[in-house]
Amino acid sequence: MSNHLPLEIVEEILHRLPVKSIVKCTSVCKAWNSLITRQTFIYDHLNRTIQAPNHNSSLFFQFRKRRSPNDPPSLHQEETYSLYSINQQTDQFSVERFPLSHLFEPYRYTLFVGACNGLVCSADHSPLESATTIIWNPSLRKYIVLPKPITTCKDIWRGRYYLVRNVDPKYDVFFGFGFDSRNNDYKVVRLMNDRSTQDTPHVEVYSLASHIWRSISVTVPQFFLCNRQWYRPWLSSLFLNGTFHWIVCRYIEGGSGMYYKFILSFDVIQETFRELTLPQQQSNEKAVISRLLPVEGSHSLAVVNHVNMRRRNQRVFCIWVMKDYGITNSWTEIFRLDSGLYGGILAVLALTNSGKVVLILNGGAIVLVDPIKESVEPVGLAKMSEFFVSSFVESLLLLNKEPDVLSF
């Protein structure tokens, strides 16, 4: 058929196919293979997918089951990466799972750094010299291993490295992964923050185009890791509007030990940091945990506060959206959920572009809730104790990166 059609028509047809079908078409003939693996075709297909009004959007999860303190260090941590795709016509989820634990050392905790344009970044959070970071494409089942970071911590405690968690308790390690639209490049940012000093955190940026890390000299606002995550010295970011976002804390001046939370952001193009204010709670509320919330297929910044209602013995999840990005007084509370609903809500995971909420319940069930209609739909089951989530769109990126790209 391709011999009787102009190449422009063939290209138009291929652009309308899903990724897995396009990959199969690379084996049809050399002309099709050459067309599909061109960088211009790959980016055109991605842009069309993003801009299509009826494309199937997805949410990407990493679930992790904590290892017991009595487990030997050699026992591999149980982890599952899952892609939940929603059908816009039926509003139903389909699930595809990816085992990746074998790509990391068995005694390491791995971190879901983020997802952007069909690529996912995962890393172990070790500040030691053997830290591993990969960028992978779930649709193609291909990945690339990043070179080792420039700066590492080789502190020795009691005569040995931290082999159980491979983490120096002095350091917080922060990651971000996103797209630099000006330079058409994908970047990973890595911050090492020494909690024992007031020194500026060390910042490194990896470029997929150059395949190298570089240290950058930049002003970073003072902060520390909050949400009682002292036992978890890492923090995933939310990438939105060309910017990484983390929720962090800073002590109030005066030595009282009190602190407040704010959003630390990093512009991936300008490579500069700034601060954004979180939404203000009412006087009878105390936010225990604040998390940035991915909004499927949206450019809106959202946050969920797990709030204690003073004098009521009640906990609620308050969901806020920043209507105008970067304008802090545009924070708007869209709804709240009592934590006792549906047998007990463990966490709010994400918002869909249809206004529904993805929850994980105390029993491990993942459900899709319509807060207006008060309907509940089961999505899946995750018997895991920790989770990370991001919006996702499939792409052909990494298809033409041979020989650096590996398959799994």
Side-chain angles (χ1 to χ4, degrees):
M1 180 184 72
S2 62
N3 293 331
H4 304 286
L5 289 175
L7 190 58
E8 294 80 5
I9 302 299
V10 173
E11 182 173 358
E12 182 64 30
I13 294 172
L14 291 173
H15 272 308
R16 297 170 185 264
L17 298 178
V19 164
K20 291 181 180 178
S21 298
I22 294 177
V23 171
K24 292 179 180 178
C25 291
T26 59
S27 302
V28 171
C29 62
K30 290 183 178 179
W32 284 26
N33 182 284
S34 176
L35 169 65
I36 292 169
T37 55
R38 281 194 335 225
Q39 196 74 0
T40 53
F41 181 92
I42 291 172
Y43 279 104
D44 285 346
H45 180 269
L46 172 62
N47 291 331
R48 289 188 180 210
T49 301
I50 294 173
Q51 295 168 9
N54 60 345
H55 80 271
N56 286 349
S57 50
S58 306
L59 292 170
F60 195 89
F61 294 86
Q62 179 198 20
F63 297 110
R64 174 166 57 224
K65 183 177 181 181
R66 287 187 194 145
R67 195 169 47 230
S68 166
N70 298 323
D71 291 338
S74 60
L75 183 64
H76 216 306
Q77 174 123 322
E78 186 179 351
E79 295 180 321
T80 303
Y81 290 86
S82 302
L83 181 62
Y84 285 71
S85 301
I86 186 168
N87 186 299
Q88 299 292 354
Q89 283 71 43
T90 63
D91 218 17
Q92 297 294 315
F93 276 92
S94 60
V95 184
E96 187 174 6
R97 293 182 171 84
F98 308 91
L100 280 186
S101 298
H102 64 284
L103 300 180
F104 297 92
E105 295 292 336
Y107 49 80
R108 296 277 179 82
Y109 286 125
T110 59
L111 167 67
F112 172 65
V113 176
C116 180
N117 292 345
L119 296 180
V120 178
C121 182
S122 304
D124 67 50
H125 60 278
S126 170
L128 302 181
E129 60 184 350
S130 55
T132 300
T133 308
I134 66 171
I135 295 174
W136 56 291
N137 186 324
S139 303
L140 302 181
R141 292 183 176 265
K142 292 181 178 292
Y143 71 98
I144 185 170
V145 180
L146 275 59
K148 302 302 181 184
I150 299 170
T151 301
T152 59
C153 168
K154 297 182 180 179
D155 288 347
I156 296 178
W157 177 59
R158 295 181 182 176
R160 64 179 178 87
Y161 287 116
Y162 299 86
L163 289 180
V164 175
R165 289 193 175 183
N166 229 349
V167 173
D168 188 323
K170 289 171 51 181
Y171 287 88
D172 293 329
V173 182
F174 296 74
F175 282 95
F177 172 64
F179 180 60
D180 178 348
S181 58
R182 176 185 295 175
N183 298 296
N184 197 28
D185 193 10
Y186 290 84
K187 293 180 178 179
V188 180
V189 63
R190 182 176 183 263
L191 288 78
M192 285 184 61
N193 185 36
D194 187 344
R195 296 192 302 273
S196 65
T197 71
Q198 297 296 318
D199 294 343
T200 299
H202 182 80
V203 184
E204 295 177 358
V205 176
Y206 166 83
S207 161
L208 181 61
S210 65
H211 199 46
I212 62 171
W213 289 93
R214 56 188 173 84
S215 297
I216 63 172
S217 179
V218 62
T219 301
V220 185
Q222 288 189 358
F223 70 92
F224 67 92
L225 192 59
C226 50
N227 285 348
R228 301 182 181 180
Q229 295 183 84
W230 57 268
Y231 59 88
R232 230 192 300 168
W234 70 84
L235 195 63
S236 292
S237 69
L238 180 67
F239 183 72
L240 188 73
N241 299 324
T243 306
F244 303 118
H245 305 82
W246 302 267
I247 293 182
V248 294
C249 296
R250 179 184 298 129
Y251 285 111
I252 297 173
E253 293 183 2
S256 64
M258 299 182 67
Y259 62 87
Y260 63 95
K261 301 174 186 177
F262 65 96
I263 298 174
L264 177 68
S265 69
F266 179 77
D267 187 309
V268 74
I269 296 175
Q270 302 294 336
E271 297 188 347
T272 55
F273 287 90
R274 64 176 291 200
E275 301 178 28
L276 293 173
T277 303
L278 283 166
Q280 298 298 311
Q281 298 297 137
Q282 300 178 16
S283 59
N284 65 333
E285 299 175 347
K286 178 183 178 183
V288 178
I289 295 177
S290 299
R291 290 183 58 245
L292 294 169
L293 203 60
V295 183
E296 176 195 29
S298 172
H299 296 286
S300 298
L301 186 62
V303 65
V304 55
N305 288 332
H306 195 182
V307 171
N308 271 335
M309 304 294 291
R310 294 189 172 110
R311 305 190 203 73
R312 281 203 205 168
N313 193 27
Q314 181 187 22
R315 288 194 174 188
V316 297
F317 291 94
C318 303
I319 300 174
W320 296 74
V321 172
M322 182 181 279
K323 296 294 186 179
D324 297 315
Y325 179 77
I327 309 300
T328 55
N329 61 8
S330 70
W331 281 113
T332 303
E333 183 179 308
I334 55 175
F335 53 81
R336 53 179 57 198
L337 297 168
D338 190 295
S339 61
L341 291 173
Y342 318 116
I345 302 172
L346 179 62
V348 179
L349 298 182
L351 301 177
T352 71
N353 55 16
S354 61
K356 296 183 179 181
V357 192
V358 185
L359 306 176
I360 185 166
L361 305 182
N362 286 336
I366 303 173
V367 297
L368 189 65
V369 173
D370 187 327
I372 305 301
K373 298 180 180 178
E374 298 184 348
S375 62
V376 181
E377 303 173 37
V379 173
L381 189 66
K383 291 287 187 179
M384 299 290 174
S385 54
E386 294 177 359
F387 40 82
F388 303 93
V389 60
S390 175
S391 57
F392 183 85
V393 59
E394 68 173 10
S395 78
L396 293 163
L397 296 172
L398 296 189
L399 182 63
N400 61 350
K401 284 286 185 181
E402 305 292 350
D404 297 325
V405 173
L406 305 171
S407 299
F408 63 91

